[in-house]
Amino acid sequence: MGFQHYKNVEIRGLAACVPKNIEDNRQSQLFSTDDQKKMFIETTGVISRHVIANRDICSSDLCFEAANKLMYELNWKREEIDCLIFVSQTPDYIMPATACILQERLGLSNECFAMDISLGCSGWIYGVSTVAALLQNGYFKKGLLLAGDTSTVTKSKKDKSTYPLFGDCGTATALQYKKGCVGFKAHTATDGKGYKAIYIPHGGFRTFYNSRSSKEIEFPDGNIRTNLHTILDGPTVFTFGISKVPLSISGLLKHFNIDIELIDYFIFHQANKILNEQIRKKLKLPVEKVPYSIEYYGNTSSASIPLTMVTKLKNKLESGNCRLIACGFGVGLSWGTIYFETNNIICPEIIEI
Amino acid sequence: MEKIVVNDFIAKFKDALNADNKEIFLDDKFRDYDEWDSMRYLSVISMLDSEYDVIIEPKEFQKIETVRELIKEVEKRQNK
């Protein structure tokens, strides 16, 4: 079974950066009726989102700002960073790995372990697991996880099933070796059968960019996309979410014998309000233990969990101990849950550029 | 064999559609409703899960045309 326990590693800080440009769904011209717009906002929970204005900002730029701020606040020296993991599906280039570019931009040592992970909604969970695995034996002492996406770039502005749902964000998570601390108890899982539930048909090497790639196609639901835009099969993702996520969380709690009542907060990937609320209700969690950032940031892919923590739990995280469950789920299909504890971590105010 | 109370189901279905004043009949093809869209679809899947503990995969859901067929499918799955 997909359970793991990464010991001796803790989170020391979290930071998030968004573009300052805001798009408000209440002003959107995409919907054919007001009723349709109202229902969209009520169902997804997305009122407005931070969206890059002119393709002038990459995910790595947002992560770079978050990492700089976080290292400064933590008083971490650049040469102390032993590993850098960049989680994104909107990298700078097809090659090389964006983590290599970020190593240089951030002024990290040449002795730094750096690589990219291509995951989205589950990405922060996999990123934390990977950094924790690298740090757990104490050879490496400090690691940076940079997770974020400029998802709006991959969505068609004429597609009301995707464009108004997503927002752009980059985050930085600082992890450190600490002998004896509880670390991360994890459950991770994959179902590649659903790979077409969220995907971009062209532009990779299975179907390389060609003359048909950027041709606009009108779909039966009235949405217009090209083959370089994300297709999102909402109902498939929805049934996946309500089936697998509660089982992943209850399975983790049972496997590690964790009392659900002792958890202070459950931080979920911000998929959409109706899906997240259904998961919350199935697990019988009280509203106050399940924070949301989706209202004013949208679905921010791999940034959603740290973004929710920075925007909704800053004060709690900075002053005292928290027992937390975080769960990411989506594109892949891929999902994962971690249990971890924090103790007075550094959590700077959200950055806007 | 457990039977779903039809009026009860229709009330919940109407609620999921967010269409308070709508008259709903068993033989309605619900996809033809003016209100029907992808958001209502999610809302109905969510209602079936909360109220009847039934998750119908999209592939199976596509085959269901009327309210009557939907009730039948939910009953079938509940009694599995």
Side-chain angles (χ1 to χ4, degrees), chain A residues 35-36 39-40 42-44 235-236 238-239 242-243 274 278 282, chain B residues 16 18 37 39-43 45-46 49-50 55-58:
Chain A
D35 170 68
Q36 217 180 45
M39 193 67 186
F40 177 89
E42 275 175 20
T43 310
T44 63
T236 297
F238 192 84
T239 46
I242 57 177
S243 315
I274 187 174
Q278 192 64 15
K282 285 177 82 105
Chain B
N18 197 16
D37 63 7
M39 294 297 124
R40 260 91 175 177
Y41 182 3
L42 299 189
S43 180
I45 303 177
S46 173
D49 182 32
S50 304
I55 298 175
I56 305 178
E57 310 76 35

Side-chain angles (χ1 to χ4, degrees), chain B residues 3-80:
Chain B
K3 279 276 190 189
I4 287 174
V5 180
V6 170
N7 285 343
D8 198 39
F9 184 92
I10 287 184
K12 286 167 182 161
F13 187 66
K14 206 190 287 197
D15 198 44
L17 293 177
N18 197 16
D20 297 343
N21 302 318
K22 196 172 186 69
E23 277 211 273
I24 288 177
F25 301 99
L26 285 174
D27 291 317
D28 286 354
K29 292 188 171 176
F30 53 84
R31 283 188 194 77
D32 294 343
Y33 292 154
D34 289 343
E35 297 89 351
W36 185 259
D37 63 7
S38 58
M39 294 297 124
R40 260 91 175 177
Y41 182 3
L42 299 189
S43 180
V44 168
I45 303 177
S46 173
M47 179 277 285
L48 298 177
D49 182 32
S50 304
E51 302 290 336
Y52 299 98
D53 201 20
V54 160
I55 298 175
I56 305 178
E57 310 76 35
K59 228 195 211 159
E60 296 302 312
F61 197 90
Q62 270 169 18
K63 297 178 192 159
I64 301 165
E65 291 190 350
T66 63
V67 179
R68 191 190 302 277
E69 286 167 16
L70 183 58
I71 295 175
K72 231 169 107 183
E73 183 66 26
V74 173
E75 276 178 341
K76 196 177 93 191
R77 284 166 183 254
Q78 274 190 323
N79 290 303
K80 248 187 194 165

Side-chain angles (χ1 to χ4, degrees), chain A residues 245-277:
Chain A
V245 172
L247 288 179
S248 175
I249 294 167
S250 57
L252 179 92
L253 294 171
K254 187 158 176 266
H255 183 86
F256 290 106
N257 201 14
I258 302 164
D259 181 358
I260 194 164
E261 298 294 326
L262 296 179
I263 307 296
D264 297 305
Y265 297 101
F266 295 81
I267 307 116
F268 297 141
H269 162 61
Q270 306 285 295
N272 61 68
K273 195 78 183 253
I274 187 174
L275 170 52
N276 283 41
E277 276 295 284

Side-chain angles (χ1 to χ4, degrees), chain A residues 4 6 19 65 79 86 109 119 130 148 150 176 274 283 285 330:
Chain A
Q4 251 288 10
Y6 310 98
E65 298 294 335
E79 62 271 21
F86 178 66
S109 154
L119 285 172
T130 304
T150 48
Q176 183 171 265
I274 187 174
L283 290 163
L285 307 176

